[in-house]
């Protein structure tokens, strides 16, 4: 997490999860971030996990981008690429919509519009 603590996705089971893989150099990632921020604020019953794939990014650049942009959603860092390997993330952005039991309902590769993000959230509510 942003404090350096190791976390596991299963720590968050019991709540629907939106898991987004991003990088600070990825323009489509940056373009969809405002949609995630709005959805995060509108859906307190959903766990948002914005996962920076730090192995292909810079930890400093990622933290600076989030801070300078004023985003308040939870940010996590995939320092060794373990999570991106497990979920077979080959391009950015990639978003997984996971139900409260930990089942992946759908996976979207590429930038989400506000409408497509909302559709994904509806699938896991």
């Amino acid at each position: 997490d942003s404090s350096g603590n190791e976390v596991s996705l299963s720590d968050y089971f019991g709540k629907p999860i939106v898991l987004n893989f991003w990088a600070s150099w990825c323009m489509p990632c940056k373009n969809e971030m405002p949609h995630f921020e709005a959805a995060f604020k509108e859906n307190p019953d959903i766990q948002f996990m914005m996962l920076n794939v730090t192995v292909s990014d810079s930890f400093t650049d990622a933290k600076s981008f989030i801070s300078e942009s004023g985003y308040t959603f939870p940010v996590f860092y995939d320092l060794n690429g373990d999570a991106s390997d497990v979920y077979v993330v080959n391009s950015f952005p990639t978003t997984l919509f996971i139900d409260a039991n930990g089942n992946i309902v759908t996976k979207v590769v590429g930038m989400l519009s506000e409408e497509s993000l909302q559709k994904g959230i509806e699938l896991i509510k």
Side-chain angles (χ1 to χ4, degrees):
D1 65 11
S2 58
S3 300
N5 301 308
E6 188 169 318
V7 297
S8 174
L9 185 67
S10 61
D11 295 339
Y12 297 93
F13 291 171
K15 239 180 155 176
I17 300 168
V18 174
L19 176 61
N20 175 263
F21 292 84
W22 65 280
S24 65
W25 49 260
C26 167
M27 193 53 67
C29 299
K30 290 179 176 184
N31 290 340
E32 71 179 2
M33 291 282 180
H35 306 315
F36 282 97
E37 179 70 10
F40 167 69
K41 290 179 176 177
E42 294 168 6
N43 295 281
D45 55 328
I46 293 179
Q47 176 65 49
F48 283 78
M49 299 181 78
M50 305 302 286
L51 186 61
N52 174 262
V53 184
T54 317
V55 71
S56 66
D57 200 350
S58 156
F59 182 74
T60 304
D61 289 349
K63 283 194 79 132
S64 294
F65 168 71
I66 293 298
S67 175
E68 290 167 8
S69 301
Y71 293 126
T72 60
F73 45 61
V75 178
F76 300 85
Y77 299 89
D78 187 14
L79 300 174
N80 301 316
D82 297 335
S84 54
D85 287 346
V86 168
Y87 294 101
V88 193
V89 174
N90 298 316
S91 62
F92 306 110
T94 294
T95 306
L96 283 78
F97 294 90
I98 303 167
D99 69 19
N101 296 318
N103 301 305
I104 298 171
V105 174
T106 191
K107 177 179 178 179
V108 179
V109 177
M111 189 177 94
L112 291 172
S113 66
E114 188 174 2
E115 295 79 22
S116 55
L117 175 56
Q118 207 46 49
K119 285 180 185 175
I121 288 171
E122 291 303 319
L123 291 174
I124 58 174
K125 275 190 167 180

